């Protein structure tokens, strides 16, 4: 009888080393989580990245697509019309396309954050439809949101091919 294939295990990436100021710590941990999310998807096999193995219907590509919309909504003030729809990636989008779109949203958010050193100040908004959150609130919320979905991504990736680790 053949020996069962042992699951792939990536070496865990340790938490970021940051400066001691609040903005550097918050941004360092957010970037750490963002990188963890992208890593879970980048080398995952098709079509498994878009196939759900859980009752909720959640997929790896759907999580990254959702987080792209959350980045844009929280930092750039452009929420989607339908939040539930953000959990599904377009059929034409492969993992590379979805991760590239996520990274682009992150770059846009980071450029905005680079120009917003005061954590108590509201994020700049082009439309005055809703009050803008403070930079501090937006960073804390994105750490929570990205961390929550990073845990989901860990489980989904392990179900796909046994890969664990950050």
């Amino acid at each position: 009888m053949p020996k069962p294939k042992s699951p792939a295990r990536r070496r865990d990436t340790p938490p970021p080393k940051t400066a001691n100021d609040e903005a550097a710590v918050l941004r360092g941990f957010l970037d750490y989580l963002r990188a963890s999310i992208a890593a879970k998807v980048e080398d995952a096999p098709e079509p498994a990245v878009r196939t759900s193995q859980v009752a909720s219907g959640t997929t790896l590509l759907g999580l990254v697509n959702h987080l792209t919309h959350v980045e844009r909504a929280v930092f750039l003030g452009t929420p989607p019309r339908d939040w539930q729809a953000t959990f599904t990636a377009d059929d034409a989008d492969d993992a590379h396309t979805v991760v590239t779109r996520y990274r682009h949203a992150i770059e846009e958010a980071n450029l905005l954050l680079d120009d917003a050193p005061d954590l108590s100040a509201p994020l700049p908004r082009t439309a005055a439809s809703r009050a803008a959150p403070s930079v501090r609130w937006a960073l804390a919320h994105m750490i929570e949101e990205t961390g929550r979905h990073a845990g989901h991504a860990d489980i989904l990736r392990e179900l796909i091919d046994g890969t664990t680790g950050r």
Side-chain angles (χ1 to χ4, degrees):
M1 178 175 256
K3 183 179 177 183
K5 183 180 172 188
S6 60
R9 174 142 176 91
R10 284 196 311 227
R11 189 173 164 176
D12 274 353
T13 303
K17 292 184 172 135
T18 64
N20 286 330
D21 67 276
E22 184 180 7
V25 170
L26 292 171
R27 290 187 66 182
F29 273 87
L30 179 56
D31 283 338
Y32 169 73
L33 290 168
R34 289 164 162 170
S36 295
I37 287 285
K40 286 293 176 183
V41 177
E42 285 180 317
D43 59 348
E46 286 278 358
V49 291
R50 67 181 67 255
T51 304
S52 178
Q53 296 186 37
V54 293
S56 67
T58 305
T59 67
L60 278 175
L61 284 189
L63 285 177
V64 177
N65 191 61
H66 172 70
L67 285 170
T68 301
H69 287 280
V70 178
E71 290 272 350
R72 288 184 177 139
V74 170
F75 291 120
L76 307 174
T78 55
R81 289 190 177 129
D82 178 3
W83 277 108
Q84 193 58 41
T86 67
F87 280 98
T88 305
D90 291 337
D91 290 340
D93 289 344
D94 61 11
H96 175 75
T97 301
V98 174
V99 171
T100 298
R101 196 176 297 129
Y102 179 54
R103 286 193 169 125
H104 182 70
I106 290 167
E107 287 173 18
E108 288 181 276
N110 281 343
L111 286 173
L112 180 135
L113 290 168
D114 290 345
D115 291 335
D118 180 1
L119 295 178
S120 298
L123 285 167
R125 290 286 192 253
T126 55
S129 60
R130 284 175 61 177
S134 70
V135 175
R136 179 181 289 105
W137 185 93
L139 285 166
H141 174 63
M142 283 307 303
I143 290 167
E144 176 273 329
E145 181 82 7
T146 308
R148 177 174 184 244
H149 292 310
H152 297 145
D154 286 342
I155 292 165
L156 293 174
R157 183 58 192 267
E158 187 172 358
L159 287 170
I160 288 171
D161 63 5
T163 299
T164 61
R166 279 181 255 175

